[in-house]
Amino acid sequence: MKNVLFAIVTFLVAGISAYSQNYEKVDAIVKEYPNSFSGIDKFAERVNKDFTREDEKARAIFTWIATNIKYDLAAYGVNEKPVAYSFKTQEEKAAKQKQFKDELAAKTLKSKKGVCQGYSTLYLQVAEKAGLEAVIITGTAKSHPAHIGKQPGASDHAWNAVKIGGEWKLIDATWGAGTATGNPPKFTFRFNDKYFFSDPNVFFLNHFPDDKKWLLTDKTEKDFADLPLYYGNYLMGGYEFLNPTLGTFTNTKSNVVPFKIKNLKPTDKVAYVFSKNNTFKVIEPVVKGDVGEFEVILDNNSNGTLTIYINEKSVASYRINRA
């Protein structure tokens, strides 16, 4: 969907309570899969042939989709439109909804491209065929600096939850696949397995479901609005910004913003840029243990958006208001 194009979204670390493990073996097996399947059943059969554990099946499906389905830039904005159909009974409604999902999943698998609806529907269909219980979740994505300070609004994204050992786990195969950047935008595959089995408090950093039961945490709309914008590189780097925790601050005279970042290494190169002047300033944090600290000074040119870069990759953005 439209906002997903800006998504180099992020959260902190992936968490799995019942099945905390490394999935390198699963990923290696999936790497040997064909780059296309003739149908949903064939895909699910291959997964069931190679894996018996619920979490490994869930991982295999995620990995294949995220490394083989390309984000369809030409279709974004088109597939966001609601699907209209008439029905006389609830049974007829359910049948038409199922038909729509079947057709969308099959189309996504055959064409090997789609938007978030396609990714999430394909994941659902294969997971169910593989014997897993899964759902599609719709909601709001925090994926662009303009979203900082805004509460969840109209649905603009879709993702999944899958039940593992009786516990629901959150998954976003769309953002696990890669990013769309540039002008005009171009999709680039960049596998990010931190979108698999994410801790709910981490997933919340960029996802707010329409049905709040799928938060799987006690966060609120205001909490979501107050957050900075975290990018995918923040997630992949395993960073944790201990300060500042709010996404908006006011530019006053001699205003200094202290930053404190956990898991920052002495060899990491840190810089920041303000959207108003677009000039990068390289800084040298003081790193003690696994925590790095530095300050950003706000002046007359420090309005708009402040973006922090680590190793030449954007990790977080903040909105700066005038005093």
Side-chain angles (χ1 to χ4, degrees):
M1 294 184 183
K2 189 169 294 185
N3 287 334
V4 80
L5 291 182
F6 301 104
I8 314 177
V9 298
T10 187
F11 15 100
L12 199 60
V13 290
I16 310 170
S17 58
Y19 298 99
S20 181
Q21 71 155 53
N22 189 309
Y23 287 101
E24 288 184 1
K25 182 178 179 181
V26 175
D27 291 347
I29 294 173
V30 173
K31 187 177 181 180
E32 300 303 316
Y33 281 15
N35 59 15
S36 63
F37 286 97
S38 60
I40 303 294
D41 289 337
K42 292 295 184 181
F43 188 172
E45 286 171 7
R46 182 63 181 267
V47 171
N48 280 334
K49 173 180 175 293
D50 291 332
F51 306 101
T52 57
R53 279 175 40 177
E54 290 179 337
D55 65 316
E56 292 185 336
K57 289 183 181 182
R59 174 65 176 219
I61 299 166
F62 171 86
T63 298
W64 190 91
I65 291 175
T67 54
N68 287 278
I69 303 300
K70 182 178 181 179
Y71 193 87
D72 190 358
L73 295 172
Y76 105 87
V78 176
N79 288 346
E80 295 175 22
K81 297 177 180 179
V83 176
Y85 46 78
S86 59
F87 56 90
K88 295 181 179 179
T89 66
Q90 289 301 311
E91 289 77 11
E92 184 180 1
K93 177 183 179 182
K96 290 191 174 183
Q97 288 176 332
K98 182 179 184 303
Q99 180 183 0
F100 169 74
K101 290 179 180 178
D102 290 345
E103 292 175 351
L104 179 57
K107 177 182 177 181
T108 303
L109 182 63
K110 182 178 181 180
S111 66
K112 295 184 63 180
K113 61 184 179 180
V115 294
C116 59
Q117 288 177 321
Y119 281 89
S120 57
T121 303
L122 178 58
Y123 190 94
L124 172 74
Q125 295 277 16
V126 181
E128 290 182 339
K129 292 283 187 179
L132 302 176
E133 184 177 353
V135 296
I136 296 173
I137 303 169
T138 58
T140 302
K142 197 182 192 95
S143 55
H144 188 273
H147 300 157
I148 300 172
K150 292 185 177 181
Q151 295 201 8
S155 294
D156 58 16
H157 192 44
W159 57 92
N160 296 99
V162 60
K163 187 175 283 188
I164 305 296
E167 183 179 354
W168 287 105
K169 301 294 184 180
L170 297 168
I171 291 171
D172 191 333
T174 308
W175 288 345
T179 61
T181 58
N183 187 20
K186 179 181 179 181
F187 176 81
T188 302
F189 275 109
R190 188 185 184 202
F191 181 62
N192 190 340
D193 67 348
K194 306 304 183 185
Y195 297 98
F196 177 78
F197 286 7
S198 304
D199 181 282
N201 289 306
V202 173
F203 203 75
F204 156 80
L205 296 179
N206 295 89
H207 299 74
F208 200 96
D210 295 329
D211 185 344
K212 289 197 287 186
K213 77 176 184 180
W214 291 113
L215 279 169
L216 305 183
T217 181
D218 59 358
K219 302 296 185 180
T220 67
E221 290 88 344
K222 184 179 184 304
D223 294 332
F224 185 76
D226 288 344
L227 288 167
L229 170 63
Y230 296 105
Y231 296 94
N233 299 310
Y234 174 66
L235 172 66
M236 296 181 77
Y239 306 112
E240 180 181 359
F241 278 43
L242 304 176
N243 190 74
T245 57
L246 298 180
T248 303
F249 33 81
T250 301
N251 183 3
T252 60
K253 291 183 178 180
S254 301
N255 193 11
V256 176
V257 181
F259 279 80
K260 183 179 293 187
I261 306 175
K262 188 175 181 180
N263 298 326
L264 190 70
K265 299 184 292 293
T267 55
D268 287 334
K269 298 177 181 179
V270 181
Y272 65 86
V273 62
F274 294 106
S275 59
K276 184 173 181 179
N277 57 26
N278 204 32
T279 300
F280 283 82
K281 181 175 178 59
V282 178
I283 51 180
E284 295 185 6
V286 175
V287 180
K288 297 180 180 179
D290 63 348
V291 176
E293 298 185 41
F294 60 90
E295 295 180 340
V296 173
I297 299 175
L298 306 183
D299 57 28
N300 292 333
N301 294 317
S302 305
N303 298 306
T305 302
L306 165 66
T307 300
I308 305 299
Y309 286 76
I310 299 178
N311 298 326
E312 301 181 353
K313 297 177 181 178
S314 55
V315 291
S317 284
Y318 301 81
R319 190 178 72 185
I320 306 171
N321 294 330
R322 289 182 177 275

